[in-house]
């Protein structure tokens, strides 16, 4: 249920662009009703602001409420090893920003194309493309991640954002072969004492890439 609700919340901002933003201007241009309005003495700027102002505010407010509700619900779920960063995209300012971006993208597509269905398609593809690019291309490169030997040092990482899987290296920083790693594990599992110190004594360290929580 947790994953289903998370998936729904991630997808909801796209609907703002596809079903609200894209048809907003495209339908007017498609049906020619914009010409009728402009002939009544209303300027294009006033017509545009009247359409966009209240709708944009309502979209952002609804996204904020959904983000708060989602955060409250997720925090109430007892999940082991849960990180605050797992639900970062569906909370607070980030969630409201995605909703507003989706709406703006749909409006821009409708204004540029002037046809409702193609504008809806562009809004959907554009939103999904930007979201994926942020997750896989932009965000990992905002600041270089740090590396920590998690076999000996866990202090200060409880609020960190762990990136990828743990990797095994020798003391010179070279990747450790599976056989060498397994040999070190087998040896240390039979010895009483600190696990991390034993691994280092046998030439193995466990490194984890992470972003500190204060970033």
């Amino acid at each position: 249920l947790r994953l289903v609700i998370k998936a729904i919340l991630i997808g909801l901002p796209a609907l703002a662009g596809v079903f609200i933003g894209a048809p907003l201007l495209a339908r007017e241009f498609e049906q020619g009703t914009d010409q009728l309005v402009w002939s009544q003495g209303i300027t294009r700027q006033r017509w545009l602001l009247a359409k966009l102002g209240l709708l944009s505010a309502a979209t952002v407010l609804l996204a904020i409420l959904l983000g708060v509700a989602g955060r409250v619900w997720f925090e109430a779920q007892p999940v082991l090893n849960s990180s605050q960063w797992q639900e970062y995209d569906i909370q607070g300012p980030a969630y409201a920003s995605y909703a507003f971006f989706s709406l703006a993208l749909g409006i821009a597509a409708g204004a540029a194309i002037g046809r409702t269905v193609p504008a809806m398609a562009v809004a959907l593809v554009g939103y999904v493309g930007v979201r994926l690019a942020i997750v896989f291309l932009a965000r990992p490169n905002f600041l270089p991640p740090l590396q920590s030997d998690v076999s000996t040092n866990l202090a200060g990482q409880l609020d960190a954002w762990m990136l990828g899987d743990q990797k095994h290296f020798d003391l010179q920083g070279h990747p450790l072969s599976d056989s060498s790693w397994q040999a070190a594990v087998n040896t240390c599992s039979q010895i009483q004492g600190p696990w991390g110190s034993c691994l280092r004594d046998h030439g193995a360290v466990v490194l984890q890439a992470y972003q500190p929580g204060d970033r």
Side-chain angles (χ1 to χ4, degrees), residues 29 57 61 81 136 176:
F29 298 147
L61 178 60
N81 300 322
F136 295 108
L176 203 63

Side-chain angles (χ1 to χ4, degrees), residues 134-151:
I134 288 176
V135 171
F136 295 108
L137 300 178
R139 187 175 295 155
N141 298 304
F142 286 154
L143 285 173
L146 304 180
Q147 294 273 3
S148 177
D149 182 358
V150 296
S151 60

Side-chain angles (χ1 to χ4, degrees), residues 157-178:
Q157 296 186 16
L158 296 180
D159 62 343
W161 176 21
M162 302 300 178
L163 304 174
D165 298 326
Q166 296 177 357
K167 298 181 180 180
H168 312 132
F169 295 87
D170 61 23
L171 299 183
Q172 288 72 43
H174 303 124
L176 203 63
S177 65
D178 292 341

Side-chain angles (χ1 to χ4, degrees), residues 74-96:
F74 278 109
E75 288 180 345
Q77 304 306 303
V79 177
L80 296 178
N81 300 322
S82 178
S83 168
Q84 59 179 322
W85 307 115
Q86 293 177 355
E87 282 81 39
Y88 171 78
D89 280 358
I90 53 176
Q91 297 180 19
Y95 194 66

